Amino acid sequence: MDQIQHKFIDVARGLKLHLAEIGCGPHVVVFLHGFPEIWYTWRHQMMAVANAGFRAIAPDYRGYGLSDPPPDPAKASFTDLLTDLLGILDALQLPKVFLIAKDFGARPAYLFANLHPERVLGVVTMGVPYLPPGPTTFHKYLPEGFYISRWREPGRAEADFGRFDAKTVVRNIYILFSKSEIPIAAENQEIMDLVDPSTPLPPWFTEDDLAAYGALYEKSGFLTALQVPYRSFGEDINMTDPKVKLPALLIMGGKDYVLKFPGMEDYLNSGKVKEFVPNLEITFLPEGTHFVHEQSPDEVNQLILSFLGKHA
């Protein structure tokens, strides 16, 4: 961890993004985090790919962690993340990279690969597959207490999270998202209330890890994180063809709650996802949760290195 370097680059009108970086190989891997994550979520993978001869770069999105917030967080969008990613590649003079993404990071990874295929060697995602652009419909088939529905509602999550410090919010979400059931609150209950304060952290997530996350979110807050992704899923992305024809790998934990989203298992197991990503490989880790890369880093690192080796 001590070998990981940190820098800031200017991507747009003075907006500075924080990057964590290690390694100096000719092939570059850019890691895109999810929520409630930050660059630190990739600590195990960054070390592994660097030791294998790759250069690893993990940014904090704008408004997350040590990166500057957008001028108006309420107007932040997935398009901003695509612009920032292109800005990172251009600023660092990187002609082509691998993209590795977790959770909602799968969306900018695949959108970028679709819009800028000449800049991408391959895409690996964890916890979330490629989902075609357009409004999400999961909420239509789930109770109103579905966590995404709650977090899309302006002000509701802010009030819920505001009762706790940032470290406790991250702790609660890590515990919730590590389960195999979708977080759904009762009508008279908030999402944070789903976690009993005495519930221990997952065994693979230490108090030191939590402290690192807590400090970063204490700095950034959750305002932009609620806007992107949760309040931006319906954003119109101008794509002529939704297919991504590059090499791709999906790593899913067999106990990931995302598999319980209506239609998700059928989408993956029926092969429908390959209508959009024809060169996709799918690997399930039976005991894996939504945080499979932190829970089982050795297995995930081996899958990543095998993929990189085939397509570098």
Side-chain angles (χ1 to χ4, degrees), residues 16-293:
K16 290 184 171 56
L17 294 183
H18 165 253
L19 306 182
E21 183 174 356
I22 187 170
C24 55
H27 295 295
V28 181
V29 183
V30 176
F31 292 90
L32 303 175
H33 64 79
F35 179 79
E37 297 148 17
I38 220 76
W39 77 266
Y40 183 87
T41 199
W42 297 115
R43 59 201 178 281
H44 306 300
Q45 286 69 45
M46 292 179 74
M47 301 295 289
V49 302
N51 289 337
F54 293 84
R55 181 180 175 189
I57 298 169
D60 291 338
Y61 301 130
R62 58 168 69 194
Y64 280 77
L66 299 176
S67 291
D68 286 347
D72 183 354
K75 293 182 179 173
S77 66
F78 278 104
T79 299
D80 292 336
L81 302 192
L82 302 178
T83 301
D84 291 348
L85 181 52
L86 186 60
I88 291 168
L89 301 196
D90 289 346
L92 300 179
Q93 298 181 313
L94 304 173
K96 273 196 167 188
V97 300
F98 287 99
L99 296 177
I100 298 185
K102 160 74 181 20
D103 186 64
F104 86 83
R107 193 173 183 90
Y110 270 120
L111 290 174
F112 190 86
N114 177 281
L115 297 169
H116 304 282
E118 75 287 353
R119 305 297 295 268
V120 181
L121 289 161
V123 180
V124 180
T125 70
M126 280 152 252
V128 173
Y130 176 86
L131 297 171
T136 58
T137 58
F138 299 120
H139 63 283
K140 293 181 181 177
Y141 306 101
L142 291 165
E144 69 81 30
F146 175 42
Y147 76 98
I148 291 179
S149 298
R150 289 289 183 86
W151 291 352
R152 284 172 66 89
E153 188 181 325
R156 184 151 192 174
E158 288 88 335
D160 186 15
F161 293 3
R163 298 176 292 155
F164 307 95
D165 61 17
K167 184 173 157 182
T168 303
V169 173
V170 173
R171 175 188 175 279
N172 288 352
I173 298 173
Y174 252 80
I175 289 169
L176 280 177
F177 283 8
S178 297
K179 297 179 179 181
S180 58
E181 298 299 324
I182 298 172
I184 297 174
E187 194 174 335
N188 59 348
Q189 188 182 40
E190 297 301 327
I191 298 298
M192 290 293 101
D193 299 328
L194 290 172
V195 181
D196 188 294
S198 65
T199 306
L201 286 168
W204 40 265
F205 193 70
T206 68
E207 287 291 342
D208 286 344
D209 294 333
L210 178 59
Y213 277 86
L216 291 166
Y217 273 102
E218 200 68 58
K219 189 256 175 204
S220 66
F222 296 98
L223 198 57
T224 306
L226 289 166
Q227 176 63 26
V228 180
Y230 300 104
R231 297 168 187 168
S232 301
F233 280 134
E235 183 181 342
D236 185 29
I237 304 289
N238 187 21
M239 295 167 64
T240 53
D241 178 358
K243 281 188 181 176
V244 174
K245 297 171 184 173
L246 294 161
L249 171 65
L250 170 65
I251 303 169
M252 286 294 292
K255 296 183 176 179
D256 191 328
Y257 74 90
V258 170
L259 291 172
K260 300 281 178 68
F261 278 34
M264 183 63 77
E265 282 196 276
D266 182 61
Y267 177 66
L268 296 179
N269 295 331
S270 69
K272 186 164 181 61
V273 63
K274 294 189 180 184
E275 293 176 15
F276 299 102
V277 191
N279 297 311
L280 176 69
E281 303 169 52
I282 303 175
T283 298
F284 287 94
L285 298 182
E287 296 303 310
T289 66
H290 192 57
F291 301 102
V292 67
H293 64 303

